[in-house]
């Protein structure tokens, strides 16, 4: 078994896989609720807070689902059962799909395979984020210089207006293309070299107020939360959409604070337009004045009465509700389906001895505990009176093993006509073998049962070898593609499909 199969077959992979599937509808519901809330709220602070809460709930739901599935799964051996089922049937998934009359996705087989790819995706996004952090670390130390004393004093004055108690360092950078804030405990504002001398003082003051607003709002920590969610839920469109909402509303909050203190929205909008000329994306661990959609931000500043219409969040809500409906429907369909390990027991192991009423009752069961209890009672009900427990079950599986070993032809031995009769009635009391003749060009076997009540005295079954490979003088259970012949009354035992 390869390392990928070993990982996918582990109980942890089953828990992770089901958590990923559940997170689809969980995230869709959370996003739909958030979209509805955004239709009502107009304050950027409240909208940002709602989006942050939605992201926390999404992460919390993912963690709770994973822990719940792991704990309950290990406690009830469900995940171990699914892992064993997966290991036994992983190589036959393609065959099962081809031979199934009505194909339906078996999530109990699909879920464990999701875990290895999720682990790989998380590692890839974490590596990408780590590379961005290292790039920012170099940005903090290379190509920087102290600005003039005037701007250092101005930064102190602006910090006092925002009631910031932490000291904030201001540096000019030859590598930065837009103002950014780095760090939380020791915040640093990097501005592109020449920016302080190239823009009017009023615009520079507004830009510094914007960056100081990020520090006051602890946006650097919120940004870390976003990156963590994007790494963990990289596959989920809801995580990315919520993160974009947070980023956009965060910038709107800082814009409003900067404009309220500077008092000139036009000057600030002109400063943002000037910064856009040197904008460059990719420094995700930082927060910058050029974050979000700059065109929307400028339009919002210059025309505050022209609010964004409800169609964007409404459209997102409709898409996410559709995603929730699809994923929940898939889950419901799978919830009604019998897991593969129990379907095999029903359609193969006991296909010939289970009654129609028992089959219908078993198919209505919804939990593994109920199915396991049914199976225990099924074997106990058929055990001979006074016989040791499990006698009938052992004999049944012995017959199946014998049939698979001796009667296999183009299909498994248990599926052949002789295998069917042997499993139901056991070994015959007598076997008559008739060689080929001019009147009968096929080898014929007659199985005679003398002590089977349902067959009467000297009941028999006639089998005809149609492929011509049987040897009537050899081992009676060896070789040949024997088919059950119609009885003298014209009846025939029908094999289950």
């Amino acid at each position: 078994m390869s390392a990928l199969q070993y990982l996918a077959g582990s109980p942890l992979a089953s828990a992770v896989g089901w958590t990923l599937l559940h997170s689809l509808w969980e995230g869709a519901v959370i996003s739909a609720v958030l979209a509805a809330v955004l239709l009502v709220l107009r304050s950027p602070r409240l909208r940002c807070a709602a989006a942050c809460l939605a992201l926390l709930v999404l992460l919390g739901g993912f963690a709770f689902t994973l822990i719940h599935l792991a704990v309950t799964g290990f406690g009830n051996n469900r995940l171990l059962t699914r892992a064993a089922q997966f290991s036994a049937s992983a190589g036959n998934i393609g065959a099962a799909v081809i031979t199934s009359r009505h194909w339906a996705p078996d999530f109990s087989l699909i879920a464990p395979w999701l875990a290895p790819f999720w682990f790989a995706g998380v590692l890839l996004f974490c590596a990408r984020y780590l590379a961005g952090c290292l790039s920012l670390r170099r940005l903090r130390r290379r190509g920087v210089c102290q600005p003039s004393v005037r701007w250092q004093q101005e930064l102190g004055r602006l910090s006092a207006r925002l009631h910031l108690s932490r000291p904030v360092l201001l540096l000019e950078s030859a590598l930065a293309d837009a103002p950014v804030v780095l760090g939380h405990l020791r915040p640093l504002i990097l501005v592109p070299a020449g920016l302080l001398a190239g823009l009017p003082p009023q615009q520079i003051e507004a830009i510094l107020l914007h960056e100081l607003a990020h520090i006051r709002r602890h946006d650097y920590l919120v940004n870390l939360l976003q990156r963590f969610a994007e790494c963990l839920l990289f596959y989920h469109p809801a995580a990315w959409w919520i993160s974009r909402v947070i980023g956009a509303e965060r910038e709107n909050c800082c814009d409003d604070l900067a404009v309220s203190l500077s008092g000139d929205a036009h000057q600030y909008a002109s400063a943002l337009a000037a910064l856009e000329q040197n904008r460059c994306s990719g420094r995700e661990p930082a927060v910058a004045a050029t974050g979000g959609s700059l065109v929307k931000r400028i339009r919002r500043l210059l025309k505050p009465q022209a609010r964004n219409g409800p169609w964007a969040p409404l459209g997102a809500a409709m898409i996410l509700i559709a995603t929730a409906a699809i994923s929940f429907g898939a889950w419901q369909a799978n919830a009604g389906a019998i897991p593969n390990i129990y379907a095999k027991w029903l359609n193969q192991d006991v296909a010939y001895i289970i009654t129609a009423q028992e089959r219908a009752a078993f198919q209505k069961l919804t939990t593994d505990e109920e199915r396991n209890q049914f199976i225990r009672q099924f074997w106990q009900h058929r055990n001979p009176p006074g016989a040791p427990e499990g006698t009938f079950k052992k004999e049944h599986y012995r017959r199946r093993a014998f049939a698979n070993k001796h009667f296999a032809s183009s299909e498994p031995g248990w599926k052949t006509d002789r295998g069917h009769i042997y499993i139901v009635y056991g070994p015959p009391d007598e076997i008559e073998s008739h060689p080929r003749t001019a009147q009968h060009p096929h080898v014929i076997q007659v199985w005679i049962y003398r002590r089977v009540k349902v067959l009467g005295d000297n009941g028999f079954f006639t089998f005809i070898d149609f492929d011509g490979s049987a040897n009537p003088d050899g081992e009676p259970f060896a070789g040949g593609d024997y088919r059950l012949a119609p009885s003298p009354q014209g009846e025939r035992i029908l094999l289950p499909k």
Side-chain angles (χ1 to χ4, degrees):
M1 182 182 295
S2 66
L4 183 61
Q5 287 178 320
Y6 179 80
L7 177 60
S10 65
L12 177 61
S14 181
V16 171
W18 281 109
T19 300
L20 297 177
L21 292 175
H22 278 296
S23 69
L24 293 178
W25 69 265
E26 292 172 350
V29 171
I30 293 171
S31 298
V33 173
L34 175 61
V37 171
L38 295 180
L39 291 175
V40 178
L41 298 179
R42 285 292 176 262
S43 169
R45 292 182 61 185
L46 296 179
R47 291 165 66 91
C48 185
C52 290
L53 179 61
L55 190 62
L56 287 174
V57 173
L58 184 61
L59 289 173
F62 182 92
F64 175 81
T65 303
L66 178 60
I67 294 173
H68 174 73
L69 290 176
V71 172
T72 58
F74 282 111
N76 297 326
N77 290 326
R78 292 181 181 175
L79 297 183
L80 294 175
T81 300
R82 289 171 179 161
Q85 164 198 345
F86 170 82
S87 299
S89 57
N92 298 324
I93 294 177
V97 171
I98 295 174
T99 58
S100 177
R101 181 179 299 175
H102 302 291
W103 181 85
D106 190 347
F107 288 94
S108 62
L109 294 179
I110 297 174
W113 279 109
L114 300 178
F117 297 101
W118 177 76
F119 282 124
V122 170
L123 291 177
L124 180 63
F125 275 82
C126 286
R128 174 174 172 264
Y129 173 65
L130 180 60
C133 290
L134 295 177
S135 175
L136 287 176
R137 187 178 181 86
R138 291 192 297 268
L139 191 66
R140 186 172 188 143
R141 298 183 177 181
R142 295 183 181 179
V144 296
C145 62
Q146 293 280 351
S148 63
V149 177
R150 172 197 171 187
W151 287 114
Q152 293 282 10
Q153 295 174 347
E154 182 66 18
L155 182 66
R157 183 182 66 82
L158 296 176
S159 298
R161 291 183 64 185
L162 289 173
H163 306 287
L164 287 176
S165 58
R166 287 171 292 169
V168 181
L169 182 62
L170 177 65
L171 293 177
E172 289 187 284
S173 172
L175 303 178
D177 46 36
V180 294
V181 174
L182 303 178
H184 175 70
L185 298 178
R186 294 183 299 171
L188 164 67
I189 298 178
L190 283 181
V191 297
L195 177 69
L196 300 179
L199 291 180
Q202 295 83 356
Q203 295 183 11
I204 297 176
E205 178 181 328
I207 291 173
L208 292 179
L209 283 171
H210 179 99
E211 302 304 325
L212 290 172
H214 280 306
I215 298 174
R216 178 184 174 181
R217 290 171 38 83
H218 309 286
D219 284 339
Y220 194 83
L221 295 181
V222 177
N223 198 58
L224 293 179
L225 174 65
Q226 291 177 252
R227 303 290 84 78
F228 175 75
E230 291 170 2
C231 290
L232 192 67
L233 305 173
F234 66 91
Y235 62 92
H236 208 314
W240 293 97
W241 177 70
I242 295 174
S243 182
R244 285 196 296 271
V245 171
I246 294 175
E249 298 302 332
R250 177 178 62 201
E251 298 303 322
N252 290 338
C253 290
C254 295
D255 289 344
D256 289 348
L257 185 57
V259 171
S260 65
L261 293 178
S262 66
D264 193 338
H266 288 80
Q267 285 282 0
Y268 182 65
S270 300
L272 291 180
L275 292 177
E276 177 64 9
Q277 298 177 359
N278 296 323
R279 185 180 184 184
C280 178
S281 61
R283 297 192 173 91
E284 294 177 342
V287 284
T290 53
S293 175
L294 202 60
V295 174
K296 292 182 179 179
R297 289 170 59 190
I298 293 176
R299 183 170 63 244
R300 176 179 173 275
L301 290 170
L302 298 180
K303 297 181 179 180
Q305 70 279 6
R307 300 290 186 181
N308 291 332
W311 300 112
L314 182 60
M318 296 301 295
I319 293 174
L320 292 168
I321 290 175
T323 304
I326 294 172
S327 55
F328 185 74
W331 165 248
Q332 287 294 96
N334 183 65
I338 301 177
N340 185 268
I341 190 172
Y342 297 105
K344 176 183 178 297
W345 180 85
L346 180 66
N347 299 320
Q348 298 183 23
D349 292 9
V350 298
Y352 301 143
I353 63 174
I354 191 170
T355 66
Q357 294 79 6
E358 289 174 326
R359 176 181 292 273
F362 186 81
Q363 290 174 332
K364 293 179 181 179
L365 303 179
T366 58
T367 66
D368 292 352
E369 287 84 0
E370 293 175 347
R371 297 185 182 104
N372 291 332
Q373 179 65 20
F374 181 97
I375 292 173
R376 286 192 294 269
Q377 294 178 354
F378 177 88
W379 294 119
Q380 291 173 0
H381 177 71
R382 286 165 172 75
N383 209 50
E389 184 178 356
T391 299
F392 181 88
K393 179 180 179 181
K394 292 178 181 178
E395 172 61 16
H396 175 76
Y397 280 103
R398 184 201 67 78
R399 294 179 184 182
R400 279 183 53 86
F402 186 93
N404 287 330
K405 180 178 180 181
H406 295 280
F407 304 142
S409 55
S410 59
E411 55 187 357
W414 73 271
K415 277 190 171 184
T416 63
D417 287 8
R418 290 196 300 174
H420 181 180
I421 299 303
Y422 189 92
I423 290 173
V424 174
Y425 299 108
D429 296 309
E430 183 181 344
I431 297 179
E432 295 179 359
S433 294
H434 302 274
R436 304 175 184 87
T437 63
Q439 292 79 14
H440 300 285
H442 303 291
V443 175
I444 297 176
Q445 272 190 6
V446 180
W447 288 14
I448 302 173
Y449 290 88
R450 306 189 190 279
R451 297 183 299 274
V452 179
K453 294 182 180 180
V454 296
L455 299 178
D457 296 336
N458 296 323
F460 67 91
F461 298 95
T462 301
F463 301 95
I464 302 175
D465 172 46
F466 287 97
D467 69 355
S469 63
N471 179 11
D473 299 325
E475 167 63 40
F477 288 141
D481 183 18
Y482 285 93
R483 302 296 176 89
L484 183 65
S487 68
Q489 293 79 16
E491 298 175 352
R492 190 182 191 281
I493 295 179
L494 298 178
L495 298 177
K497 297 181 181 179

